[in-house]
Amino acid sequence: MQIRLFEVTDFVTVQDIYQQGIDSKNATFQLARKNWQQWQESMLQDSVLVMCDLDKVVGWAGLSSVSSRAVYRGVGEVSIYVAKESAGEGVGSQLMLSLITRSELLGFWALQATIFPENSASMALHSKYKFRRVGQRNALGKMHGKWRDVELLERRSESVGTD
């Protein structure tokens, strides 16, 4: 398997994997996949990575801005999605490690994630890579008629923003 930067030709498969997350009802508040313009506006393109098994994309990870304010330019929101058929094969771990490395090369000193507490696989993955729980946002949003909580996690770089 190989990790590389996202290419435009990956978009359909990346969105198919994202749709699997949407369908799980435990990965995102989003109810529909993003079109190209929404994707371009939401993701920091230099940060998006894909993992390929031969020529097939089996997972992706990337960062979104948490704010347009300059003071937050080094803080990114993590997105990481693995195709159902590749779950449990270490794809998420490899993507997370590569995303952390990539984020530091891009000058990010902090990464954050908001995760449904029921998403135990994502909680465990983030914990493995030194994300710490900083709180819970209660009833943050309504999804399918039910108010959902999210856990807020963050990870500080050990090499960027330490001075």
Side-chain angles (χ1 to χ4, degrees):
M1 289 206 229
Q2 169 194 2
I3 295 176
R4 61 170 171 74
L5 286 171
F6 169 86
E7 298 171 357
V8 174
T9 55
D10 299 322
F11 181 68
V12 171
T13 306
V14 162
Q15 289 302 291
D16 288 345
I17 294 169
Y18 186 57
Q19 185 66 50
Q20 291 176 1
I22 292 168
D23 293 345
S24 78
K25 298 183 175 111
N26 275 330
T28 179
F29 276 112
Q30 192 78 21
L31 299 177
R33 66 178 71 202
K34 296 175 182 176
N35 64 36
W36 178 249
Q37 183 177 343
Q38 292 167 324
W39 169 263
Q40 288 290 95
E41 292 170 356
S42 68
M43 302 303 297
L44 298 172
Q45 296 307 308
D46 290 340
S47 74
V48 181
L49 305 172
V50 295
M51 176 169 254
C52 299
D53 185 2
L54 301 175
D55 289 334
K56 183 179 179 185
V57 174
V58 295
W60 65 273
L63 300 176
S64 301
S65 294
V66 298
S67 174
S68 60
R69 295 177 58 195
V71 69
Y72 295 114
R73 74 184 182 288
V75 182
E77 173 85 19
V78 172
S79 291
I80 187 161
Y81 289 83
V82 176
K84 281 196 293 191
E85 65 270 12
S86 298
E89 296 178 6
V91 172
S93 286
Q94 292 178 60
L95 279 166
M96 181 66 83
L97 186 57
S98 294
L99 183 62
I100 290 167
T101 300
R102 181 77 183 156
S103 73
E104 290 175 343
L105 289 172
L106 294 171
F108 286 84
W109 58 79
L111 300 178
Q112 70 179 40
T114 52
I115 304 172
F116 293 126
E118 300 85 359
N119 191 339
S120 57
S122 188
M123 293 292 290
L125 175 65
H126 285 77
S127 179
K128 178 179 177 179
Y129 288 95
K130 299 182 181 177
F131 281 76
R132 65 181 184 90
R133 182 182 183 272
V134 293
Q136 183 176 62
R137 300 187 74 189
N138 297 317
L140 183 65
K142 206 169 193 179
M143 187 171 138
H144 303 294
K146 178 183 172 190
W147 286 101
R148 300 290 301 267
D149 299 338
V150 294
E151 296 287 327
L152 181 58
L153 292 87
E154 73 175 7
R155 179 189 191 281
R156 289 290 306 207
S157 172
E158 296 174 359
S159 61
V160 179
T162 59
D163 52 352

